[in-house]
Amino acid sequence: MGRIDYYNDPDAPAINSVVPSVTVAVRNTAGQILLIHKIDNNYWALPGGGHDPGESIVDTALREVREETGIDVRITGLVGTYTDPRHVMKYDDGEVRQQFSICFHAVPLDDSPNPREDGTETRAVKWVEPVDVPGLSIHPSMRMRIDHALDDTRTTPHLG
């Protein structure tokens, strides 16, 4: 399903849905961050997705990383909460969501896992050097989460 992201756009369609979701900033021992190239909006992003009934939010994070990248992880902390009503996502089926995402820090369980795309949500998955992140096509709201995750000087999670 296709998706159009609006950010701070007065012409964005009216929101008709809020879906709790997660993103996960996975860093390996080399300091690289795991990114996916999304099929629905053609941006690079952190792995993540919607919260399913019957799951804890941590279970959602573990499941989404495994589904989209093939990597099992351990959650190590909270990057922040991201609920900006100026970030609106319009889907082909008419759903128009307000951003509502909890972003976690994580590490892979295996020290040198090889990621793989799932072909449904991700067209590519790779470990990225932090210095290479600025050159990738990333939506501004996702770039904020990635920047927060990579900022080793942060002592508290983002609350917004």
Side-chain angles (χ1 to χ4, degrees):
M1 175 174 12
R3 173 175 127 181
I4 299 172
D5 285 74
Y6 299 85
Y7 188 68
N8 234 1
D9 186 340
D11 296 324
I15 296 165
N16 61 27
S17 175
V18 176
V19 176
S21 65
V22 299
T23 50
V24 184
V26 182
R27 307 254 330 250
N28 63 18
T29 55
Q32 298 168 315
I33 191 163
L34 184 64
L35 296 180
I36 62 171
H37 192 192
K38 295 178 64 65
I39 289 174
D40 65 358
N41 65 8
N42 202 32
Y43 284 120
W44 285 92
L46 297 169
H51 180 67
D52 287 345
E55 288 182 318
S56 74
I57 201 69
V58 169
D59 288 341
T60 300
L62 300 174
R63 175 182 52 79
E64 286 290 341
V65 173
R66 186 179 317 107
E67 285 178 359
E68 294 181 352
T69 72
I71 294 177
D72 290 313
V73 300
R74 178 176 54 86
I75 301 300
T76 60
L78 181 66
V79 175
T81 59
Y82 299 84
T83 59
D84 189 343
R86 296 171 301 155
H87 181 197
V88 175
M89 297 156 280
K90 179 183 176 190
Y91 293 86
D92 289 344
D93 65 359
E95 180 183 13
V96 181
R97 280 186 201 170
Q98 174 183 329
Q99 169 186 265
F100 186 103
S101 181
I102 300 169
C103 185
F104 293 98
H105 286 288
V107 294
L109 294 181
D110 177 1
D111 192 38
S112 57
N114 291 316
R116 55 100 184 116
E117 70 278 350
D118 69 4
T120 304
E121 297 180 73
T122 59
R123 68 179 48 164
V125 180
K126 66 180 180 178
W127 292 104
V128 177
E129 295 290 341
V131 297
D132 295 331
V133 170
L136 297 174
S137 178
I138 300 171
H139 187 273
S141 70
M142 183 62 65
R143 188 172 297 278
M144 179 190 305
R145 285 176 245 183
I146 294 168
D147 289 346
H148 289 166
L150 292 174
D151 183 353
D152 293 329
T153 66
R154 292 185 70 84
T155 58
T156 60
H158 171 80
L159 301 175

